Each structure stands twice: as structure tokens, then as C-alpha cells.
Amino acid sequence: MSGERRPSLQAVLFVCSLNAVRSPMAEALCRTRYGRQIYVDSAGLQKGDRDPFMLAVLREIGIEFESDQPHVLEEVDYEGVDLVIALSPEAHARARTMLRATAVELLHWPIPDATQAGGTREQRLHAYREVRDRLDRLIREEIGGRLKARVSE
């Protein structure tokens, strides 16, 4: 993070291609950590079903997310958030276009698509765990860092 002063963080939106793996996983992780301090949501460019491997690796760390429904970007108030985090190249390109005339900050976290992992069930779960752990680290660093800075101001 640079030394520039950023506006206070109140709402975050995670966006990916289908709102099936990366963005709902990021939403669940961020909401679990910081949901009492900020509003957190997710959306996809297209609507997909929640991925069972994604749900399984979240349950491994005590997060139940089955009741949350997938959204497409056009269904959410993306202009009403402070920060949009795109998790796929396609989502980044679309969000950049949609947010061009807004004050919403856009970040791109290029997260691998765990659905492309092959192999055994355990090998596939390992790929999902890597995505989960990477997202959790980025969320703690970026979102947690901003929230800590907000408290110390």
C-alpha cells in the first residue's frame, strides 16, 4: 500500500467470472473476519451454482456458506461500494469499464481458477485450499490493513 490517504472503507465487492468459487469464497472469508466492520458482497459476470469443493474447503475452517445465493454484477449496487476487487482477468476488464465514471476503487487480484485443477479428489481439494489460503492472506493484508489504519487515524 502506498502512503496516500484513502477514503474510509465501508463496503467491499468481490467479482469473478461466475460467482461460484473465487468471489463467494472471498466474500465468506472477508465477512467472517470483518463483517461487523464493513459490508461485504460478491458477484459474477455470469451466474453459476456454488461449487461443492469451494463449500467443502470453507467448511474445513468452520465457515458455512450454503445459504448465500449467487449474484451477477448487474444485480448488485457496485457503485455503492468503496472497493471492488476483481479476481479474474475478465472480471477486472468488465469492472474497469463499468466503474470508469465512478469514485469506486478497483483492485485486481489474479487468483487461479481452481476448477481447472485435475487429478484425484484430494488433488483438486488441494487446489481449492490454495485459493482459499491465498485469498485469506490477501484479505488480511489489504482489507485488514485498511481497517487497522482507519482505527489508528
Side-chain angles (χ1 to χ4, degrees):
M1 289 188 288
S2 68
E4 67 193 42
R5 180 153 165 73
R6 293 184 173 138
S8 180
L9 186 61
Q10 301 294 319
V12 176
L13 175 67
F14 294 95
V15 182
C16 69
S17 303
L18 294 175
N19 198 220
V21 178
R22 292 170 283 191
S23 58
M25 188 182 291
E27 175 188 355
L29 291 164
C30 191
R31 189 180 287 166
T32 298
R33 285 194 179 280
Y34 306 115
R36 292 180 185 263
Q37 298 170 317
I38 59 172
Y39 175 79
V40 182
D41 204 355
S42 69
L45 302 183
Q46 299 174 30
K47 193 177 287 188
D49 294 327
R50 294 294 193 233
D51 185 286
F53 284 110
M54 181 271 295
L55 295 171
V57 299
L58 286 176
R59 277 193 304 273
E60 288 176 351
I61 60 170
I63 299 174
E64 296 290 333
F65 204 64
E66 283 83 355
S67 62
D68 187 76
Q69 295 299 309
H71 301 100
V72 292
L73 188 55
E74 289 76 16
E75 293 175 342
V76 298
D77 179 18
Y78 57 86
E79 291 184 41
V81 301
D82 307 301
L83 178 63
V84 172
I85 300 174
L87 304 171
S88 69
E90 304 83 19
H92 183 243
R94 173 85 66 81
R96 186 175 43 220
T97 299
M98 293 176 82
L99 298 172
R100 185 176 327 144
T102 72
V104 177
E105 182 181 0
L106 173 63
L107 296 179
H108 182 212
W109 294 350
I111 302 295
D113 183 356
T115 65
Q116 300 303 306
T120 66
R121 174 174 167 49
E122 190 53 41
Q123 289 169 326
R124 293 180 68 200
L125 281 168
H126 178 74
Y128 281 76
R129 289 178 189 118
E130 286 183 339
V131 167
R132 177 197 65 202
D133 296 345
R134 183 172 176 187
L135 283 168
D136 192 41
R137 180 181 53 78
L138 289 166
I139 288 165
R140 282 184 284 116
E141 290 171 0
E142 184 68 35
I143 308 300
R146 290 181 186 215
L147 293 173
K148 283 179 190 168
R150 180 173 78 183
V151 170
S152 66
E153 291 177 351

